[in-house]
């Protein structure tokens, strides 16, 4: 018997795959990080009878959640500048703080905290966009997580780089260094149409084709962004990016709050993906994205948290529920984005957007064992009638008891309620957070 071989026995299995949406009293057999078999509990194969068993008899087991838009190390700026609109928030608070503090150490420590928060909430993969990507990768590796790393590009100087060319050079060097890591993938991440020039976008499109990398950028987050583009270029941002060749099946567009019907049709036609970040859009008063209509037209939509500085939680359970409710009220259709579609946004849709749908996002034989166990027998979850409905409208991240990535148990909630991470002691994380809190508080006065 090998430690890499084990059986998970849940009450319900939500596969997010074709076929039945919910399997009851089935077991998942995991071997060397991949899903070896899915069978009724009463029919465990003879060759697996000696494997260790994880009893999840009061749980739903489902695919790991995928955070399609994050700035993970901004976890250190959680609550640093609340209750401002996007541009004052950036210009007057976040960018000055970043200029003073952002470094390799800042990004590594912030990413450790973000990974811990996400793992404890069942997130196994996140799509990141920030500076010093090597520091984020090292934190991801330590915590036993999976990440799609955005190689950030801007025109203006930061602590990380001085010019767009330097951002691109540093990013491609990191990609070359880590491209053989099975849990790490990459895309170019030009920040936004209002911070990146036509020339740089054109260069990124060429490089993305040569290196087979996607593109991850912010788009149509605010009305002000669109007004600025109309004044400067005479066209809306999406039209500009489309003309530059940025929009395609490997493009992830964060937010997409202000998309007209014709623009939604353009995204569907070109196969681009939206990373919907409902909590951040609400908190920054950016607006309500037209998710119900975009989805109906055929746009693939995943869910993101954005950074903790503008959310302030890296909590995809909250995003699922909020996305479903907002879609209903915005479209005035109670049937819009039912629970199963919200779950799709948080799992297989995110995997598809990142080009990882053959590896993760659903529970299928041969896929990687990125799995989450959610306990549903606690008082606040009773009674239960439909586990899928419960996952979206009732469950919270506090009910996650196990998070596996590549078949490794990266997080477990112990019987006494304490969090246990494979990569670091909880008290070490607490110490890191409090040290940065002290530094940032002192600098603010």
């Amino acid at each position: 018997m090998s430690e890499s071989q084990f059986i998970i026995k849940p009450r319900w299995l939500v596969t997010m795959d074709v076929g039945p949406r919910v399997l009851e009293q089935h077991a998942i057999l995991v071997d060397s990080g991949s899903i070896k078999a899915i069978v009724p509990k009463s029919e465990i194969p003879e060759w697996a009878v000696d494997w260790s068993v994880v009893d999840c008899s009061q749980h739903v087991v489902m695919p790991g959640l995928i955070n399609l838009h994050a700035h993970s190390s901004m976890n250190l700026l959680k609550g640093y500048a609340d209750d401002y609109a996007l541009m004052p928030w950036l210009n007057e608070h976040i960018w000055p703080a970043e200029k003073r503090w952002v470094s390799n150490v800042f990004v590594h420590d912030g990413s450790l905290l973000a990974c811990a928060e996400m793992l404890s909430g069942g997130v196994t993969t996140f799509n990141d966009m920030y500076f010093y990507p090597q520091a984020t990768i090292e934190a991801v590796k330590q915590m036993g997580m999976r990440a799609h790393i955005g190689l950030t590009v801007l025109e203006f100087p930061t602590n990380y780089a001085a010019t767009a060319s330097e951002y691109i050079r540093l990013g491609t060097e990191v990609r070359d260094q880590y491209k053989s890591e099975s849990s790490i993938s990459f895309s170019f991440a030009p920040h936004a149409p209002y911070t990146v020039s036509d020339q740089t976008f054109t260069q990124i499109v060429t490089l993305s084709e040569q290196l087979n990398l996607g593109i991850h950028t912010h788009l149509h987050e605010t009305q002000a962004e669109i007004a600025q583009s109309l004044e400067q270029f005479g066209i809306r941002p999406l039209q500009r990016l489309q003309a530059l060749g940025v929009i395609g099946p490997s493009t992830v567009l964060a937010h997409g709050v202000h998309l007209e019907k014709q623009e939604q049709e353009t995204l569907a036609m070109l196969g681009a993906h939206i990373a919907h970040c409902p909590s951040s859009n609400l908190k920054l008063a950016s607006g309500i994205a037209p998710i119900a209509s975009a989805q109906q037209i055929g746009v693939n939509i995943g869910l993101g948290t954005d950074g903790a500085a503008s959310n302030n939680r890296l909590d995809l359970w909250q995003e699922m529920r909020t996305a479903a409710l907002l879609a209903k009220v915005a479209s005035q259709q109670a049937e819009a984005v039912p629970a199963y579609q919200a779950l799709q946004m948080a799992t297989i849709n995110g995997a598809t957007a990142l080009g990882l749908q053959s590896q993760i996002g659903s529970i299928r034989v041969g896929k990687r064992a990125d799995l989450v166990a959610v306990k549903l027998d606690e008082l606040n979850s009773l009674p239960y009638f439909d586990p899928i409905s419960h996952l979206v409208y009732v469950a919270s991240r506090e009910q996650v008891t196990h998070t596996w990535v590549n078949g490794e148990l990266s997080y477990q909630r112990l019987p006494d309620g304490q969090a246990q991470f494979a990569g670091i002691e909880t008290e070490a994380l607490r110490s890191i957070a409090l040290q940065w809190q002290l530094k940032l508080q002192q600098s603010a006065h």
Side-chain angles (χ1 to χ4, degrees):
M1 183 177 68
S2 167
E3 291 184 358
S4 65
Q5 297 173 322
F6 61 95
I7 303 171
I8 308 171
K9 293 185 174 181
R11 166 75 184 275
W12 300 281
L13 183 59
V14 176
T15 67
M16 306 311 297
D17 200 10
V18 295
R21 293 180 174 181
V22 179
L23 297 174
E24 283 202 65
Q25 305 300 339
H26 277 60
I28 307 171
L29 282 62
V30 177
D31 185 3
S32 303
S34 68
I35 299 168
K36 181 77 170 178
I38 302 168
V39 298
K41 289 181 182 179
S42 59
E43 299 178 16
I44 302 298
E46 187 175 338
W47 45 263
V49 293
D50 291 331
W51 291 12
S52 61
V53 173
V54 182
D55 179 19
C56 292
S57 55
Q58 300 300 324
H59 297 65
V60 173
V61 169
M62 59 179 288
L65 301 176
I66 298 171
N67 186 347
L68 194 54
H69 179 63
H71 310 286
S72 60
S73 55
M74 293 184 81
N75 200 281
L76 291 179
L77 296 174
K78 182 187 301 181
Y80 183 80
D82 286 335
D83 305 323
Y84 295 96
L86 176 63
M87 295 318 296
W89 177 76
L90 282 173
N91 289 319
E92 299 168 23
H93 301 278
I94 297 303
W95 284 341
E98 288 179 329
K99 184 176 182 181
R100 175 159 189 178
W101 289 111
V102 171
S103 65
N104 235 345
V105 175
F106 178 99
V107 172
H108 181 264
D109 289 354
S111 296
L112 280 178
L113 289 165
C115 287
E117 181 176 353
M118 286 190 276
L119 283 169
S120 65
V123 177
T124 54
T125 301
F126 65 98
N127 183 29
D128 207 44
M129 178 194 288
Y130 208 63
F131 312 111
Y132 299 98
Q134 181 174 351
T136 298
I137 292 169
E138 289 300 323
V140 167
K141 290 174 61 181
Q142 179 178 342
M143 296 299 289
M145 206 169 176
R146 190 185 303 277
H148 190 84
I149 300 295
L151 306 174
T152 299
V153 182
L154 294 162
E155 301 294 341
F156 58 82
T158 63
N159 300 358
Y160 174 58
T163 64
S165 295
E166 188 177 7
Y167 285 103
I168 291 171
R169 177 181 62 79
L170 291 172
T172 52
E173 287 175 357
V174 170
R175 179 260 179 186
D176 290 344
Q177 180 179 351
Y178 290 96
K179 63 183 179 182
S180 62
E181 294 281 348
S182 61
S183 61
I184 304 295
S185 51
F186 294 93
S187 63
F188 281 109
H191 173 259
Y194 57 87
T195 54
V196 177
S197 69
D198 284 4
Q199 180 181 355
T200 299
F201 269 122
T202 300
Q203 184 181 2
I204 287 171
V205 169
T206 300
L207 286 171
S208 69
E209 292 172 352
Q210 292 173 349
L211 300 176
N212 194 28
L213 298 183
I215 296 175
H216 175 200
T217 189
H218 297 88
L219 185 76
H220 287 214
E221 185 174 0
T222 66
Q223 291 283 16
E225 170 195 338
I226 295 169
Q228 178 183 338
S229 180
L230 288 169
E231 182 178 348
Q232 184 175 356
F233 300 99
I235 52 177
R236 290 164 65 90
L238 177 58
Q239 187 179 352
R240 176 178 159 228
L241 295 195
Q242 183 184 358
L244 294 170
V246 175
I247 310 300
S250 59
T251 308
V252 175
L253 303 168
H255 302 294
V257 176
H258 302 284
L259 289 169
E260 296 176 344
K261 191 67 172 291
Q262 184 177 355
E263 292 171 327
Q264 297 167 39
E265 292 170 349
T266 296
L267 294 182
M269 177 185 68
L270 296 176
H273 315 271
I274 294 175
H276 179 36
C277 305
S279 294
S280 178
N281 295 339
L282 288 171
K283 186 164 184 284
L284 294 172
S286 299
I288 300 174
I291 293 306
S293 62
Q295 189 176 56
Q296 191 172 23
I297 288 169
V299 180
N300 181 55
I301 299 167
L303 286 178
T305 59
D306 210 352
S310 66
N311 185 309
N312 300 13
R313 299 158 64 99
L314 306 182
D315 181 357
L316 277 192
W317 302 96
Q318 185 178 71
E319 302 307 322
M320 280 193 288
R321 188 172 195 272
T322 304
L325 298 182
L326 278 179
K328 297 174 192 305
V329 73
S331 65
Q332 296 186 34
Q333 295 177 351
E335 301 84 359
V337 186
Y340 190 73
Q341 287 185 4
L343 273 178
Q344 288 178 314
M345 289 181 185
T347 53
I348 190 61
N349 288 11
T352 300
L354 299 177
L356 298 173
Q357 67 273 22
S358 65
Q359 301 178 49
I360 59 173
S362 64
I363 299 176
R364 178 192 295 181
V365 173
K367 282 196 171 188
R368 305 308 297 169
D370 288 15
L371 305 167
V372 176
V374 186
K375 199 166 188 285
L376 287 188
D377 71 335
E378 296 173 1
L379 188 59
N380 67 343
S381 297
L382 298 175
Y384 43 68
F385 303 103
D386 178 354
I388 290 175
S389 172
H390 252 49
L391 287 172
V392 174
Y393 295 125
V394 178
S396 67
R397 62 181 178 180
E398 288 77 18
Q399 291 167 249
V400 171
T401 60
H402 302 72
T403 302
W404 292 272
V405 182
N406 272 324
E408 298 290 334
L409 186 59
S410 295
Y411 164 79
Q412 183 176 7
R413 179 161 62 86
L414 299 175
D416 63 1
Q418 296 299 307
Q420 184 179 71
F421 300 96
I424 194 169
E425 294 291 333
T426 304
E427 284 307 310
L429 286 169
R430 188 186 305 276
S431 176
I432 289 169
L434 293 176
Q435 287 173 24
W436 277 106
Q437 177 180 320
L438 182 62
K439 288 181 184 179
L440 289 160
Q441 281 177 331
Q442 290 174 342
S443 70
H445 297 295

